[in-house]
Amino acid sequence: NSSGSSDIDGSGLTFAWYQGSNTSPFSTEANPTVTLPAGSYSLTLVVSDGGSTTSDSITVEIFTTASLVQALASQVQAANLKPSERSGLLGHLNAALSAFNNGNVRAGVHQLELFQERVNKKVAPGNPSLASVLIAEAQRIIREVSGQ
């Protein structure tokens, strides 16, 4: 947002927000709200007082819950695990994915919590570093979908 923008002599400021290489701003509000689909976006804020102009750009990544769960499943697939361990973990992730895709956040979170428990019981004793990574990633997804 543009909350840090000010003018030393108190002139009024104008704002223009651009996405990528677009030459037309998507907003001229100081602090716009925009909805973007999943993907990576370069956003640029241009601020002017009528005489001087400055800009700042950021890149934002928008993820869907499904893409985060699928990325975690890919980590499990690539990990050096016994087939039975892998299968059990993927079962919880597939159930979480299905629940999230059906709009059932509570059930999806529950499956991720069960995934974490299984990682603690089955993976942590033999590979604590892998277990730590998998549990942390599942917790990150839980935080994101729970709004924490």
Side-chain angles (χ1 to χ4, degrees):
N1 70 39
S2 65
S3 60
S5 301
S6 63
D7 184 62
I8 197 163
D9 63 9
S11 298
L13 298 176
T14 61
F15 306 92
W17 292 88
Y18 298 88
Q19 180 183 328
S21 60
N22 290 339
T23 57
S24 296
F26 66 82
S27 178
T28 56
E29 296 177 22
N31 297 304
T33 300
V34 61
T35 302
L36 299 168
S40 178
Y41 301 91
S42 174
L43 303 178
T44 300
L45 168 62
V46 176
V47 181
S48 176
D49 67 358
S52 297
T53 301
T54 189
S55 66
D56 193 19
S57 296
I58 61 168
T59 299
V60 294
E61 297 282 335
I62 310 293
F63 297 97
T64 65
T65 304
S67 68
L68 294 174
V69 174
Q70 289 167 339
L72 182 53
S74 293
Q75 287 180 295
V76 170
Q77 286 283 16
N80 185 15
L81 296 169
K82 294 178 186 174
S84 61
E85 292 171 350
R86 181 178 292 109
S87 178
L89 295 173
L90 290 174
H92 288 299
L93 294 178
N94 288 332
L97 184 59
S98 178
F100 289 130
N101 283 338
N102 289 322
N104 192 339
V105 173
R106 181 179 293 166
V109 167
H110 181 67
Q111 286 299 323
L112 289 174
E113 291 168 341
L114 292 174
F115 169 84
Q116 290 175 311
E117 289 176 19
R118 190 173 191 110
V119 169
N120 260 331
K121 290 179 186 174
K122 302 289 185 177
V123 179
N127 193 339
S129 61
L130 173 62
S132 177
V133 168
L134 296 176
I135 290 169
E137 185 59 24
Q139 191 60 43
R140 183 172 78 95
I141 297 168
I142 291 168
R143 276 194 317 273
E144 291 296 325
V145 299
S146 300
Q148 299 174 352

